[in-house]
Amino acid sequence: MPLDAATGPAYRASDEVVQLYIHDLVSSVTRPVLELKGFQRVHLKPGEARRVDLSLGPAELGFYDANMKWVVEPGRFDIMAGGSSADVKRTTLDVVAR
């Protein structure tokens, strides 16, 4: 998921930690509202903006179901990325059964 919003302050260099979260909207078991699935620290020069790429695949979407079997269930996920869980950009991802 490309995120173009990692921007440093105009007056000094800084580090930004871009965080990737998911929320499974349709699941056979209760899942957390926000699950941290990745992050990347980037150093930014004053006023610099940088694109950050974070990967999201089956390993990040799966979970143990009620029978303790690792599964990736079909359904809709909210995908969120940003500098904190309170300030994110959102999109959705639909996972379909094979």
Side-chain angles (χ1 to χ4, degrees), residues 3-4 6 8 15-17 21 30 38-39 49 55 57-58 65 84 92 96-97:
L3 179 68
D4 297 321
D15 282 353
E16 176 78 20
V17 178
Y21 295 92
T30 303
F39 63 91
S55 296
D65 67 8
S84 77
T92 57
V96 296

Side-chain angles (χ1 to χ4, degrees), residues 16-92:
E16 176 78 20
V17 178
V18 180
Q19 302 162 26
L20 176 66
Y21 295 92
I22 69 165
H23 177 216
D24 190 344
L25 297 171
V26 181
S27 178
S28 63
V29 297
T30 303
R31 304 278 305 273
V33 174
L34 286 178
E35 291 183 69
L36 180 64
K37 293 298 182 173
F39 63 91
Q40 183 176 348
R41 180 181 299 272
V42 292
H43 182 74
L44 301 168
K45 297 175 185 171
E48 179 183 12
R50 185 179 304 169
R51 178 184 167 135
V52 176
D53 291 317
L54 299 168
S55 296
L56 187 63
E60 291 78 27
L61 298 175
F63 64 96
Y64 289 98
D65 67 8
N67 297 316
M68 297 307 293
K69 180 180 174 191
W70 183 258
V71 296
V72 177
E73 292 181 338
R76 178 163 284 186
F77 290 81
D78 277 339
I79 310 299
M80 297 153 279
S84 77
S85 62
D87 182 27
V88 294
K89 291 186 176 184
R90 295 175 182 265
T91 191
T92 57

